[in-house]
mmCIF file of all heavy atoms in Angstrom:
data_model
loop_
_atom_site.group_PDB
_atom_site.id
_atom_site.type_symbol
_atom_site.label_atom_id
_atom_site.label_comp_id
_atom_site.label_asym_id
_atom_site.label_seq_id
_atom_site.Cartn_x
_atom_site.Cartn_y
_atom_site.Cartn_z
ATOM 1 N N GLN A 1 -18.854 -31.616 -19.413
ATOM 2 C CA GLN A 1 -19.929 -30.934 -18.590
ATOM 3 C C GLN A 1 -19.538 -30.658 -17.151
ATOM 4 O O GLN A 1 -19.768 -29.697 -16.566
ATOM 5 C CB GLN A 1 -21.254 -31.744 -18.657
ATOM 6 C CG GLN A 1 -21.837 -31.753 -20.083
ATOM 7 C CD GLN A 1 -22.081 -30.319 -20.578
ATOM 8 O OE1 GLN A 1 -22.468 -29.429 -19.857
ATOM 9 N NE2 GLN A 1 -21.749 -30.068 -21.869
ATOM 10 N N ALA A 2 -18.881 -31.728 -16.550
ATOM 11 C CA ALA A 2 -18.475 -31.564 -15.101
ATOM 12 C C ALA A 2 -17.416 -30.476 -14.989
ATOM 13 O O ALA A 2 -17.552 -29.642 -14.037
ATOM 14 C CB ALA A 2 -17.911 -32.856 -14.615
ATOM 15 N N PHE A 3 -16.410 -30.435 -15.798
ATOM 16 C CA PHE A 3 -15.396 -29.475 -15.754
ATOM 17 C C PHE A 3 -15.958 -28.029 -16.040
ATOM 18 O O PHE A 3 -15.602 -27.086 -15.373
ATOM 19 C CB PHE A 3 -14.205 -29.751 -16.609
ATOM 20 C CG PHE A 3 -13.131 -30.568 -15.974
ATOM 21 C CD1 PHE A 3 -13.343 -31.910 -15.866
ATOM 22 C CD2 PHE A 3 -12.043 -30.008 -15.378
ATOM 23 C CE1 PHE A 3 -12.428 -32.747 -15.340
ATOM 24 C CE2 PHE A 3 -11.125 -30.829 -14.712
ATOM 25 C CZ PHE A 3 -11.299 -32.133 -14.647
ATOM 26 N N LEU A 4 -16.783 -27.951 -17.077
ATOM 27 C CA LEU A 4 -17.479 -26.604 -17.332
ATOM 28 C C LEU A 4 -18.326 -26.130 -16.129
ATOM 29 O O LEU A 4 -18.366 -24.964 -15.819
ATOM 30 C CB LEU A 4 -18.307 -26.662 -18.587
ATOM 31 C CG LEU A 4 -17.527 -26.785 -19.936
ATOM 32 C CD1 LEU A 4 -18.501 -27.077 -21.005
ATOM 33 C CD2 LEU A 4 -16.735 -25.483 -20.093
ATOM 34 N N SER A 5 -18.929 -27.016 -15.449
ATOM 35 C CA SER A 5 -19.747 -26.659 -14.331
ATOM 36 C C SER A 5 -18.912 -26.169 -13.107
ATOM 37 O O SER A 5 -19.275 -25.317 -12.396
ATOM 38 C CB SER A 5 -20.746 -27.722 -13.853
ATOM 39 O OG SER A 5 -20.037 -28.789 -13.309
ATOM 40 N N GLN A 6 -17.760 -26.806 -12.902
ATOM 41 C CA GLN A 6 -16.953 -26.517 -11.731
ATOM 42 C C GLN A 6 -15.855 -25.420 -12.076
ATOM 43 O O GLN A 6 -15.350 -24.833 -11.097
ATOM 44 C CB GLN A 6 -16.248 -27.776 -11.231
ATOM 45 C CG GLN A 6 -17.174 -28.831 -10.644
ATOM 46 C CD GLN A 6 -17.738 -28.260 -9.320
ATOM 47 O OE1 GLN A 6 -18.218 -27.220 -9.147
ATOM 48 N NE2 GLN A 6 -17.692 -29.166 -8.370
ATOM 49 N N PHE A 7 -15.596 -25.231 -13.325
ATOM 50 C CA PHE A 7 -14.506 -24.250 -13.757
ATOM 51 C C PHE A 7 -15.210 -23.345 -14.789
ATOM 52 O O PHE A 7 -14.720 -23.229 -15.892
ATOM 53 C CB PHE A 7 -13.328 -24.903 -14.222
ATOM 54 C CG PHE A 7 -12.565 -25.831 -13.275
ATOM 55 C CD1 PHE A 7 -12.834 -27.106 -13.278
ATOM 56 C CD2 PHE A 7 -11.537 -25.148 -12.428
ATOM 57 C CE1 PHE A 7 -12.132 -27.924 -12.332
ATOM 58 C CE2 PHE A 7 -10.976 -25.944 -11.438
ATOM 59 C CZ PHE A 7 -11.203 -27.383 -11.437
ATOM 60 N N SER A 8 -16.244 -22.610 -14.391
ATOM 61 C CA SER A 8 -17.090 -21.927 -15.284
ATOM 62 C C SER A 8 -16.356 -20.771 -16.032
ATOM 63 O O SER A 8 -16.743 -20.301 -17.066
ATOM 64 C CB SER A 8 -18.395 -21.457 -14.714
ATOM 65 O OG SER A 8 -18.094 -20.593 -13.600
ATOM 66 N N SER A 9 -15.305 -20.243 -15.386
ATOM 67 C CA SER A 9 -14.566 -19.131 -15.948
ATOM 68 C C SER A 9 -13.378 -19.595 -16.872
ATOM 69 O O SER A 9 -12.657 -18.775 -17.377
ATOM 70 C CB SER A 9 -14.002 -18.186 -14.827
ATOM 71 O OG SER A 9 -13.020 -18.981 -14.149
ATOM 72 N N CYS A 10 -13.286 -21.008 -17.105
ATOM 73 C CA CYS A 10 -12.184 -21.453 -17.884
ATOM 74 C C CYS A 10 -12.799 -22.087 -19.132
ATOM 75 O O CYS A 10 -13.941 -22.654 -19.121
ATOM 76 C CB CYS A 10 -11.495 -22.507 -17.082
ATOM 77 S SG CYS A 10 -10.665 -21.871 -15.648
ATOM 78 N N GLU A 11 -11.925 -22.024 -20.115
ATOM 79 C CA GLU A 11 -12.232 -22.820 -21.350
ATOM 80 C C GLU A 11 -11.643 -24.274 -21.069
ATOM 81 O O GLU A 11 -10.626 -24.401 -20.361
ATOM 82 C CB GLU A 11 -11.469 -22.214 -22.544
ATOM 83 C CG GLU A 11 -11.782 -22.850 -23.942
ATOM 84 C CD GLU A 11 -11.049 -22.063 -24.978
ATOM 85 O OE1 GLU A 11 -11.159 -20.799 -25.054
ATOM 86 O OE2 GLU A 11 -10.322 -22.854 -25.756
ATOM 87 N N VAL A 12 -12.417 -25.295 -21.516
ATOM 88 C CA VAL A 12 -11.968 -26.650 -21.192
ATOM 89 C C VAL A 12 -11.581 -27.334 -22.565
ATOM 90 O O VAL A 12 -12.450 -27.443 -23.430
ATOM 91 C CB VAL A 12 -13.119 -27.441 -20.438
ATOM 92 C CG1 VAL A 12 -12.683 -28.901 -20.253
ATOM 93 C CG2 VAL A 12 -13.371 -26.799 -19.182
ATOM 94 N N GLU A 13 -10.375 -27.833 -22.596
ATOM 95 C CA GLU A 13 -9.872 -28.552 -23.758
ATOM 96 C C GLU A 13 -9.733 -30.001 -23.392
ATOM 97 O O GLU A 13 -9.032 -30.324 -22.484
ATOM 98 C CB GLU A 13 -8.564 -27.964 -24.142
ATOM 99 C CG GLU A 13 -7.830 -28.736 -25.272
ATOM 100 C CD GLU A 13 -6.358 -28.354 -25.394
ATOM 101 O OE1 GLU A 13 -6.025 -27.152 -25.152
ATOM 102 O OE2 GLU A 13 -5.544 -29.148 -25.837
ATOM 103 N N ILE A 14 -10.527 -30.881 -24.040
ATOM 104 C CA ILE A 14 -10.580 -32.303 -23.706
ATOM 105 C C ILE A 14 -9.601 -32.984 -24.666
ATOM 106 O O ILE A 14 -9.731 -32.818 -25.876
ATOM 107 C CB ILE A 14 -12.022 -32.861 -23.811
ATOM 108 C CG1 ILE A 14 -12.884 -32.152 -22.874
ATOM 109 C CG2 ILE A 14 -11.974 -34.362 -23.569
ATOM 110 C CD1 ILE A 14 -12.755 -32.406 -21.433
ATOM 111 N N GLU A 15 -8.745 -33.856 -24.127
ATOM 112 C CA GLU A 15 -7.831 -34.704 -25.048
ATOM 113 C C GLU A 15 -8.065 -36.153 -24.583
ATOM 114 O O GLU A 15 -7.648 -36.597 -23.517
ATOM 115 C CB GLU A 15 -6.400 -34.222 -24.649
ATOM 116 C CG GLU A 15 -5.407 -34.953 -25.508
ATOM 117 C CD GLU A 15 -5.355 -34.385 -26.962
ATOM 118 O OE1 GLU A 15 -5.591 -33.114 -27.171
ATOM 119 O OE2 GLU A 15 -5.038 -35.227 -27.881
ATOM 120 N N PRO A 16 -8.793 -36.903 -25.506
ATOM 121 C CA PRO A 16 -8.964 -38.245 -25.132
ATOM 122 C C PRO A 16 -7.680 -39.088 -25.478
ATOM 123 O O PRO A 16 -6.855 -38.710 -26.375
ATOM 124 C CB PRO A 16 -10.085 -38.740 -26.093
ATOM 125 C CG PRO A 16 -10.125 -37.751 -27.240
ATOM 126 C CD PRO A 16 -9.478 -36.491 -26.670
ATOM 127 N N VAL A 17 -7.487 -40.155 -24.678
ATOM 128 C CA VAL A 17 -6.298 -41.049 -24.855
ATOM 129 C C VAL A 17 -6.702 -42.447 -24.544
ATOM 130 O O VAL A 17 -7.586 -42.722 -23.572
ATOM 131 C CB VAL A 17 -5.120 -40.461 -24.009
ATOM 132 C CG1 VAL A 17 -5.442 -40.613 -22.516
ATOM 133 C CG2 VAL A 17 -3.849 -41.361 -24.259
ATOM 134 N N GLN A 18 -6.214 -43.361 -25.268
ATOM 135 C CA GLN A 18 -6.508 -44.749 -25.055
ATOM 136 C C GLN A 18 -5.365 -45.328 -24.153
ATOM 137 O O GLN A 18 -4.169 -45.370 -24.589
ATOM 138 C CB GLN A 18 -6.508 -45.578 -26.414
ATOM 139 C CG GLN A 18 -7.170 -46.920 -26.234
ATOM 140 C CD GLN A 18 -8.541 -46.957 -25.862
ATOM 141 O OE1 GLN A 18 -9.335 -46.170 -26.322
ATOM 142 N NE2 GLN A 18 -8.961 -47.752 -24.868
ATOM 143 N N VAL A 19 -5.710 -45.853 -23.054
ATOM 144 C CA VAL A 19 -4.756 -46.516 -22.088
ATOM 145 C C VAL A 19 -5.388 -47.716 -21.499
ATOM 146 O O VAL A 19 -6.616 -47.845 -21.478
ATOM 147 C CB VAL A 19 -4.289 -45.533 -20.976
ATOM 148 C CG1 VAL A 19 -3.466 -44.389 -21.520
ATOM 149 C CG2 VAL A 19 -5.403 -44.991 -20.099
ATOM 150 N N ASP A 20 -4.529 -48.564 -21.032
ATOM 151 C CA ASP A 20 -5.033 -49.866 -20.487
ATOM 152 C C ASP A 20 -5.469 -49.631 -19.039
ATOM 153 O O ASP A 20 -4.852 -48.903 -18.317
ATOM 154 C CB ASP A 20 -3.960 -50.969 -20.616
ATOM 155 C CG ASP A 20 -4.404 -52.304 -20.251
ATOM 156 O OD1 ASP A 20 -5.594 -52.736 -20.599
ATOM 157 O OD2 ASP A 20 -3.668 -53.116 -19.556
ATOM 158 N N SER A 21 -6.457 -50.398 -18.561
ATOM 159 C CA SER A 21 -6.939 -50.262 -17.193
ATOM 160 C C SER A 21 -6.196 -51.136 -16.335
ATOM 161 O O SER A 21 -6.195 -50.985 -15.059
ATOM 162 C CB SER A 21 -8.425 -50.623 -17.123
ATOM 163 O OG SER A 21 -8.550 -52.035 -17.420
ATOM 164 N N GLY A 22 -5.527 -52.160 -16.835
ATOM 165 C CA GLY A 22 -4.815 -53.122 -16.032
ATOM 166 C C GLY A 22 -5.782 -54.059 -15.241
ATOM 167 O O GLY A 22 -5.272 -54.902 -14.334
ATOM 168 N N VAL A 23 -7.000 -54.110 -15.554
ATOM 169 C CA VAL A 23 -7.965 -54.996 -14.945
ATOM 170 C C VAL A 23 -8.768 -55.591 -16.074
ATOM 171 O O VAL A 23 -8.594 -55.310 -17.246
ATOM 172 C CB VAL A 23 -8.960 -54.280 -13.937
ATOM 173 C CG1 VAL A 23 -8.113 -53.623 -12.853
ATOM 174 C CG2 VAL A 23 -9.802 -53.223 -14.645
ATOM 175 N N ALA A 24 -9.691 -56.531 -15.760
ATOM 176 C CA ALA A 24 -10.560 -57.208 -16.780
ATOM 177 C C ALA A 24 -11.363 -56.158 -17.538
ATOM 178 O O ALA A 24 -11.642 -55.141 -17.118
ATOM 179 C CB ALA A 24 -11.463 -58.222 -16.099
ATOM 180 N N ASP A 25 -11.708 -56.564 -18.792
ATOM 181 C CA ASP A 25 -12.500 -55.764 -19.548
ATOM 182 C C ASP A 25 -13.889 -55.348 -18.909
ATOM 183 O O ASP A 25 -14.396 -54.291 -19.068
ATOM 184 C CB ASP A 25 -12.814 -56.315 -20.962
ATOM 185 C CG ASP A 25 -11.613 -56.269 -21.866
ATOM 186 O OD1 ASP A 25 -10.613 -55.486 -21.586
ATOM 187 O OD2 ASP A 25 -11.541 -57.063 -22.809
ATOM 188 N N GLN A 26 -14.359 -56.355 -18.195
ATOM 189 C CA GLN A 26 -15.559 -56.168 -17.320
ATOM 190 C C GLN A 26 -15.209 -56.401 -15.918
ATOM 191 O O GLN A 26 -15.242 -57.475 -15.376
ATOM 192 C CB GLN A 26 -16.627 -57.165 -17.738
ATOM 193 C CG GLN A 26 -17.957 -56.943 -16.909
ATOM 194 C CD GLN A 26 -18.544 -55.532 -17.096
ATOM 195 O OE1 GLN A 26 -19.150 -55.316 -18.042
ATOM 196 N NE2 GLN A 26 -18.319 -54.762 -16.056
ATOM 197 N N PRO A 27 -14.807 -55.360 -15.196
ATOM 198 C CA PRO A 27 -14.375 -55.502 -13.754
ATOM 199 C C PRO A 27 -15.668 -56.036 -13.007
ATOM 200 O O PRO A 27 -16.726 -55.596 -13.217
ATOM 201 C CB PRO A 27 -14.050 -54.064 -13.332
ATOM 202 C CG PRO A 27 -13.750 -53.374 -14.599
ATOM 203 C CD PRO A 27 -14.609 -53.955 -15.599
ATOM 204 N N MET A 28 -15.349 -56.968 -12.070
ATOM 205 C CA MET A 28 -16.520 -57.651 -11.434
ATOM 206 C C MET A 28 -16.544 -57.395 -9.868
ATOM 207 O O MET A 28 -17.187 -58.093 -9.157
ATOM 208 C CB MET A 28 -16.471 -59.177 -11.715
ATOM 209 C CG MET A 28 -16.736 -59.498 -13.221
ATOM 210 S SD MET A 28 -18.390 -59.020 -13.718
ATOM 211 C CE MET A 28 -19.423 -60.043 -12.735
ATOM 212 N N THR A 29 -15.651 -56.480 -9.419
ATOM 213 C CA THR A 29 -15.737 -56.085 -8.036
ATOM 214 C C THR A 29 -15.604 -54.616 -7.917
ATOM 215 O O THR A 29 -15.056 -53.957 -8.850
ATOM 216 C CB THR A 29 -14.746 -56.744 -7.160
ATOM 217 O OG1 THR A 29 -13.432 -56.319 -7.564
ATOM 218 C CG2 THR A 29 -14.728 -58.262 -7.245
ATOM 219 N N ASP A 30 -16.041 -54.082 -6.793
ATOM 220 C CA ASP A 30 -15.825 -52.608 -6.484
ATOM 221 C C ASP A 30 -14.378 -52.303 -6.496
ATOM 222 O O ASP A 30 -13.949 -51.291 -7.132
ATOM 223 C CB ASP A 30 -16.453 -52.387 -5.181
ATOM 224 C CG ASP A 30 -16.521 -50.891 -4.840
ATOM 225 O OD1 ASP A 30 -17.085 -50.092 -5.667
ATOM 226 O OD2 ASP A 30 -16.168 -50.492 -3.715
ATOM 227 N N GLU A 31 -13.542 -53.230 -5.867
ATOM 228 C CA GLU A 31 -12.112 -52.878 -5.769
ATOM 229 C C GLU A 31 -11.467 -52.951 -7.156
ATOM 230 O O GLU A 31 -10.572 -52.113 -7.441
ATOM 231 C CB GLU A 31 -11.444 -53.929 -4.821
ATOM 232 C CG GLU A 31 -11.891 -53.813 -3.368
ATOM 233 C CD GLU A 31 -13.215 -54.527 -3.156
ATOM 234 O OE1 GLU A 31 -13.645 -55.407 -3.970
ATOM 235 O OE2 GLU A 31 -13.870 -54.254 -2.125
ATOM 236 N N GLU A 32 -11.764 -53.878 -8.035
ATOM 237 C CA GLU A 32 -11.235 -53.999 -9.292
ATOM 238 C C GLU A 32 -11.607 -52.815 -10.178
ATOM 239 O O GLU A 32 -10.752 -52.242 -10.934
ATOM 240 C CB GLU A 32 -11.669 -55.260 -9.953
ATOM 241 C CG GLU A 32 -11.101 -55.526 -11.361
ATOM 242 C CD GLU A 32 -11.500 -56.782 -12.016
ATOM 243 O OE1 GLU A 32 -12.617 -57.389 -11.701
ATOM 244 O OE2 GLU A 32 -10.791 -57.326 -12.859
ATOM 245 N N THR A 33 -12.851 -52.358 -10.053
ATOM 246 C CA THR A 33 -13.302 -51.193 -10.845
ATOM 247 C C THR A 33 -12.563 -49.946 -10.408
ATOM 248 O O THR A 33 -12.035 -49.189 -11.275
ATOM 249 C CB THR A 33 -14.795 -51.000 -10.652
ATOM 250 O OG1 THR A 33 -15.457 -52.264 -10.879
ATOM 251 C CG2 THR A 33 -15.381 -49.919 -11.585
ATOM 252 N N ARG A 34 -12.406 -49.779 -9.181
ATOM 253 C CA ARG A 34 -11.676 -48.541 -8.644
ATOM 254 C C ARG A 34 -10.261 -48.580 -9.103
ATOM 255 O O ARG A 34 -9.648 -47.558 -9.588
ATOM 256 C CB ARG A 34 -11.681 -48.547 -7.100
ATOM 257 C CG ARG A 34 -11.052 -47.364 -6.481
ATOM 258 C CD ARG A 34 -11.346 -47.273 -4.976
ATOM 259 N NE ARG A 34 -10.521 -46.315 -4.364
ATOM 260 C CZ ARG A 34 -9.678 -46.517 -3.417
ATOM 261 N NH1 ARG A 34 -9.473 -47.821 -2.938
ATOM 262 N NH2 ARG A 34 -8.921 -45.621 -2.911
ATOM 263 N N LEU A 35 -9.627 -49.771 -8.964
ATOM 264 C CA LEU A 35 -8.214 -49.913 -9.422
ATOM 265 C C LEU A 35 -8.064 -49.666 -10.942
ATOM 266 O O LEU A 35 -7.135 -48.949 -11.323
ATOM 267 C CB LEU A 35 -7.735 -51.395 -9.154
ATOM 268 C CG LEU A 35 -6.260 -51.663 -9.613
ATOM 269 C CD1 LEU A 35 -5.244 -50.765 -8.835
ATOM 270 C CD2 LEU A 35 -5.936 -53.124 -9.266
ATOM 271 N N GLY A 36 -9.034 -50.135 -11.720
ATOM 272 C CA GLY A 36 -9.044 -49.793 -13.162
ATOM 273 C C GLY A 36 -9.011 -48.246 -13.501
ATOM 274 O O GLY A 36 -8.207 -47.815 -14.336
ATOM 275 N N ALA A 37 -9.815 -47.460 -12.733
ATOM 276 C CA ALA A 37 -9.819 -46.010 -12.850
ATOM 277 C C ALA A 37 -8.536 -45.451 -12.487
ATOM 278 O O ALA A 37 -8.022 -44.574 -13.182
ATOM 279 C CB ALA A 37 -10.993 -45.473 -12.224
ATOM 280 N N LYS A 38 -7.970 -45.870 -11.407
ATOM 281 C CA LYS A 38 -6.691 -45.363 -10.906
ATOM 282 C C LYS A 38 -5.524 -45.639 -11.816
ATOM 283 O O LYS A 38 -4.755 -44.867 -12.164
ATOM 284 C CB LYS A 38 -6.371 -45.925 -9.559
ATOM 285 C CG LYS A 38 -7.289 -45.361 -8.409
ATOM 286 C CD LYS A 38 -7.075 -46.192 -7.067
ATOM 287 C CE LYS A 38 -5.833 -45.726 -6.366
ATOM 288 N NZ LYS A 38 -5.738 -46.194 -5.058
ATOM 289 N N ASN A 39 -5.562 -46.899 -12.453
ATOM 290 C CA ASN A 39 -4.551 -47.307 -13.315
ATOM 291 C C ASN A 39 -4.624 -46.514 -14.658
ATOM 292 O O ASN A 39 -3.554 -46.142 -15.282
ATOM 293 C CB ASN A 39 -4.723 -48.834 -13.714
ATOM 294 C CG ASN A 39 -4.244 -49.746 -12.589
ATOM 295 O OD1 ASN A 39 -3.662 -49.244 -11.625
ATOM 296 N ND2 ASN A 39 -4.667 -51.037 -12.615
ATOM 297 N N ARG A 40 -5.836 -46.241 -15.052
ATOM 298 C CA ARG A 40 -5.967 -45.500 -16.272
ATOM 299 C C ARG A 40 -5.380 -44.068 -16.147
ATOM 300 O O ARG A 40 -4.670 -43.545 -17.050
ATOM 301 C CB ARG A 40 -7.424 -45.371 -16.696
ATOM 302 C CG ARG A 40 -7.983 -46.605 -17.234
ATOM 303 C CD ARG A 40 -9.528 -46.327 -17.788
ATOM 304 N NE ARG A 40 -10.049 -47.633 -18.099
ATOM 305 C CZ ARG A 40 -9.919 -48.268 -19.266
ATOM 306 N NH1 ARG A 40 -9.097 -47.863 -20.158
ATOM 307 N NH2 ARG A 40 -10.624 -49.419 -19.519
ATOM 308 N N VAL A 41 -5.581 -43.448 -14.935
ATOM 309 C CA VAL A 41 -5.053 -42.068 -14.766
ATOM 310 C C VAL A 41 -3.552 -42.093 -14.658
ATOM 311 O O VAL A 41 -2.918 -41.330 -15.245
ATOM 312 C CB VAL A 41 -5.663 -41.501 -13.435
ATOM 313 C CG1 VAL A 41 -4.818 -40.303 -12.966
ATOM 314 C CG2 VAL A 41 -7.066 -41.120 -13.575
ATOM 315 N N ALA A 42 -2.962 -43.120 -13.936
ATOM 316 C CA ALA A 42 -1.528 -43.246 -13.895
ATOM 317 C C ALA A 42 -0.894 -43.457 -15.351
ATOM 318 O O ALA A 42 0.126 -42.889 -15.632
ATOM 319 C CB ALA A 42 -1.153 -44.431 -13.020
ATOM 320 N N SER A 43 -1.501 -44.299 -16.131
ATOM 321 C CA SER A 43 -1.008 -44.550 -17.469
ATOM 322 C C SER A 43 -1.190 -43.274 -18.362
ATOM 323 O O SER A 43 -0.278 -42.982 -19.137
ATOM 324 C CB SER A 43 -1.851 -45.664 -18.143
ATOM 325 O OG SER A 43 -1.550 -46.878 -17.454
ATOM 326 N N ALA A 44 -2.250 -42.582 -18.200
ATOM 327 C CA ALA A 44 -2.449 -41.322 -18.979
ATOM 328 C C ALA A 44 -1.452 -40.280 -18.631
ATOM 329 O O ALA A 44 -0.990 -39.587 -19.496
ATOM 330 C CB ALA A 44 -3.916 -40.822 -18.733
ATOM 331 N N GLN A 45 -1.102 -40.147 -17.279
ATOM 332 C CA GLN A 45 -0.115 -39.176 -16.947
ATOM 333 C C GLN A 45 1.304 -39.484 -17.484
ATOM 334 O O GLN A 45 1.997 -38.524 -17.874
ATOM 335 C CB GLN A 45 -0.010 -39.196 -15.362
ATOM 336 C CG GLN A 45 -1.235 -38.541 -14.719
ATOM 337 C CD GLN A 45 -1.198 -38.597 -13.185
ATOM 338 O OE1 GLN A 45 -1.001 -39.766 -12.609
ATOM 339 N NE2 GLN A 45 -1.301 -37.568 -12.565
ATOM 340 N N LEU A 46 1.514 -40.734 -17.635
ATOM 341 C CA LEU A 46 2.802 -41.108 -18.254
ATOM 342 C C LEU A 46 2.814 -40.833 -19.774
ATOM 343 O O LEU A 46 3.795 -40.394 -20.316
ATOM 344 C CB LEU A 46 3.172 -42.614 -18.025
ATOM 345 C CG LEU A 46 3.481 -42.960 -16.628
ATOM 346 C CD1 LEU A 46 3.592 -44.503 -16.502
ATOM 347 C CD2 LEU A 46 4.732 -42.392 -16.140
ATOM 348 N N LYS A 47 1.656 -41.114 -20.403
ATOM 349 C CA LYS A 47 1.527 -41.048 -21.821
ATOM 350 C C LYS A 47 1.401 -39.570 -22.297
ATOM 351 O O LYS A 47 1.869 -39.220 -23.367
ATOM 352 C CB LYS A 47 0.351 -41.808 -22.344
ATOM 353 C CG LYS A 47 0.272 -42.137 -23.823
ATOM 354 C CD LYS A 47 -0.843 -43.133 -24.143
ATOM 355 C CE LYS A 47 -0.824 -43.588 -25.563
ATOM 356 N NZ LYS A 47 -1.807 -44.618 -25.891
ATOM 357 N N MET A 48 0.695 -38.837 -21.515
ATOM 358 C CA MET A 48 0.485 -37.340 -21.856
ATOM 359 C C MET A 48 0.701 -36.482 -20.599
ATOM 360 O O MET A 48 -0.236 -36.081 -19.866
ATOM 361 C CB MET A 48 -1.036 -37.194 -22.368
ATOM 362 C CG MET A 48 -1.254 -38.019 -23.544
ATOM 363 S SD MET A 48 -2.900 -37.652 -24.203
ATOM 364 C CE MET A 48 -2.641 -36.087 -24.905
#
């Protein structure tokens, strides 16, 4: 929905991938949560 709203003239192809966050399953700080999202992106870029 976010990509369709911001790129309305484009078709959006979603590809899910399972990657590790490198943080606890339940992040317990703001910093750990942010790091988990960053780690997921970095891992996804390597994997796909």
Side-chain angles (χ1 to χ4, degrees):
Q1 291 305 317
F3 272 83
L4 286 172
S5 73
Q6 292 289 49
F7 297 96
S8 58
S9 65
C10 296
E11 189 176 307
V12 177
E13 176 191 329
I14 302 291
E15 184 77 34
V17 63
Q18 191 67 44
V19 293
D20 190 40
S21 69
V23 300
D25 288 341
Q26 179 60 77
M28 292 300 293
T29 67
D30 190 51
E31 296 80 18
E32 183 182 23
T33 307
R34 182 172 170 242
L35 179 61
K38 290 171 77 167
N39 288 346
R40 286 185 189 280
V41 165
S43 294
Q45 287 175 305
L46 292 173
K47 195 169 188 177
M48 299 185 76

